[in-house]
Every structure is written in structure tokens, then in C-alpha cells.
Amino acid sequence: MTILASRKLFYTHAFETYLIGGLIVFLIGLLVGWILWRDYRAHAERIEAMNDKLRERQDVLTDNNRQLAGLIEDLPEDPQS
């Protein structure tokens, strides 16, 4: 029992303990979030690059479709009908 009354024990207030514990948990959460996002950021960049390529292909196909529609309109009507 004399050990509890000793001046060698480390004493803090409850607020300080909660603050230190919360800071530790917050920093661990930031570390885990950074580790997870690092991997997904590479995936997001790859998907954005694929989207850009698909938009370019869509533009090419749209232009080709317009040219084809113009050629179809310019065709003479079928005399057999």
C-alpha cells in the first residue's frame, strides 16, 4: 500500500490522458489512410488516363459517323424503286 502513496508514480489529469490517447489514435489513422490512399491514387490515375483515351476514341467515332451520314445523304436515290 505504501507504493500507491509514493511520489515516484507518474500522475496526469484525465483530460491530458484522453488528449494524448486521442492524438495517438488520430496519427495512426492518418498513417493507415495514407498507406491505403497511396495504392488507390495510382489506380485512379490509371483510370483517368483510360477515360481520356476513350474520350478521344469517341470523338473519332463521332466524326466518322458524321462523315458517313453526309455520304449517305449525298447518294442518289435508288432508280429501281
Side-chain angles (χ1 to χ4, degrees), residues 45-61:
E45 289 173 357
R46 182 180 53 85
I47 289 171
E48 286 295 328
M50 289 174 57
N51 282 341
D52 290 339
K53 288 180 184 178
L54 287 174
R55 285 186 188 105
E56 290 173 8
R57 289 181 181 178
Q58 182 182 12
D59 292 340
V60 168
L61 289 174

Side-chain angles (χ1 to χ4, degrees), residues 5-67:
S6 172
R7 293 182 181 180
K8 295 179 181 177
L9 291 177
F10 181 72
Y11 176 76
T12 61
H13 294 284
F15 177 73
E16 292 170 348
T17 304
Y18 291 141
L19 185 65
I20 293 170
L23 182 63
I24 290 171
V25 169
F26 177 74
L27 292 175
I28 290 172
L30 281 179
L31 178 66
V32 169
W34 179 77
I35 289 170
L36 290 174
W37 178 244
R38 179 180 57 177
D39 186 42
Y40 288 109
R41 181 177 49 200
H43 291 298
E45 289 173 357
R46 182 180 53 85
I47 289 171
E48 286 295 328
M50 289 174 57
N51 282 341
D52 290 339
K53 288 180 184 178
L54 287 174
R55 285 186 188 105
E56 290 173 8
R57 289 181 181 178
Q58 182 182 12
D59 292 340
V60 168
L61 289 174
T62 304
D63 290 341
N64 288 345
N65 197 13
R66 280 192 209 122
Q67 290 175 1

